[in-house]
Amino acid sequence: DQQVKQNSPSLSVQEGRISILNCDYTNSMFDYFLWYKKYPAEGPTFLISISSIKDKNEDGRFTVFLNKSAKHLSLHIVPSQPGDSAVYFCAASGLSIQGAQKLVFGQGTRLTINP
Amino acid sequence: DAGITQSPRHKVTETGTPVTLRCHQTENHRYMYWYRQDPGHGLRLIHYSYGVKDTDKGEVSDGYSVSRSKTEDFLLTLESATSSQTSVYFCAIRASGEQFFGPGTRLTVL
């Protein structure tokens, strides 16, 4: 049972345009959501997060939107740059014993920014 | 840079042999995690630790054990490696509400 799903394995966007990556979740107990970026042969890098008490969070070119009723979140990158080409993972967590934040990840979306 | 190192970075081993992967952190974080990454699955939590000698199971813990005898080190052991454990293994620490990952260990079990 895939609790966090990224239904688009890949996305291609022209440089300078907006990239929109989507993520759906099924567990209504999730209350914290994160996006990670991953280059080949490196560990995932934290990008941006959002708590379930908010519906939007911005950090520079990156904005995350959360729609709790639809159990959907999206990551917007504006403007897209060649260095944004990577695999993007969304992740979710809920309350856990010992406060340990057990993350559940989506399958990832490979973003390619074309010049 | 969250001060996380993993060793070894690459390992090839044979089915049935024991394997231990090491995660080392330099910043005294309480929470540490082990994940595996496989195509089509994203990252999946194997085990985590919430303090010295305090560990618990994650989503895919069968065939793995962990130990944390000091704050800075979190060890992942495959008691008898199988081909299904061929994967890339990532260690993470939790800081400021988010998790930060090490560079990964690529393990191949022949």
Side-chain angles (χ1 to χ4, degrees), chain B residues 58-85:
Chain B
E59 182 185 355
V60 290
S61 59
D62 287 349
Y64 301 95
S65 62
V66 290
S67 65
R68 192 168 178 200
S69 59
K70 38 185 184 173
T71 300
E72 58 265 36
D73 289 325
F74 191 31
L75 304 181
L76 176 71
T77 296
L78 292 65
E79 301 290 348
S80 177
T82 68
S83 58
S84 65
Q85 293 175 313

Side-chain angles (χ1 to χ4, degrees), chain A residues 32-78:
Chain A
Y32 197 68
F33 304 88
L34 308 89
W35 284 94
Y36 285 86
K37 173 182 180 179
K38 187 181 180 306
Y39 294 120
E42 295 183 10
T45 302
F46 169 72
L47 270 179
I48 192 168
S49 61
I50 187 167
S51 164
S52 61
I53 62 173
K54 294 185 174 182
D55 54 17
K56 178 182 174 181
N57 188 28
E58 282 183 86
D59 184 1
R61 296 186 299 113
F62 302 92
T63 303
V64 56
F65 295 92
L66 176 62
N67 182 332
K68 290 183 288 296
S69 61
K71 295 190 177 67
H72 177 83
L73 65 155
S74 61
L75 174 69
H76 293 210
I77 307 173
V78 183

Side-chain angles (χ1 to χ4, degrees), chain B residues 3-58:
Chain B
I4 308 168
T5 56
Q6 292 185 231
S7 58
R9 294 293 313 278
H10 302 270
K11 186 169 182 68
V12 179
T13 191
E14 294 191 349
T15 298
T17 60
V19 176
T20 295
L21 308 183
R22 179 181 183 240
C23 177
H24 179 79
Q25 57 141 333
T26 59
E27 298 180 359
N28 214 34
H29 296 290
R30 177 183 176 189
Y31 297 100
M32 298 184 75
Y33 307 80
W34 277 106
Y35 292 85
R36 60 179 287 174
Q37 185 196 3
D38 304 289
H41 289 279
L43 283 82
R44 291 179 291 174
L45 181 64
I46 305 172
H47 281 279
Y48 64 95
S49 170
Y50 49 97
V52 173
K53 293 187 173 24
D54 293 321
T55 65
D56 205 350
K57 295 178 179 180

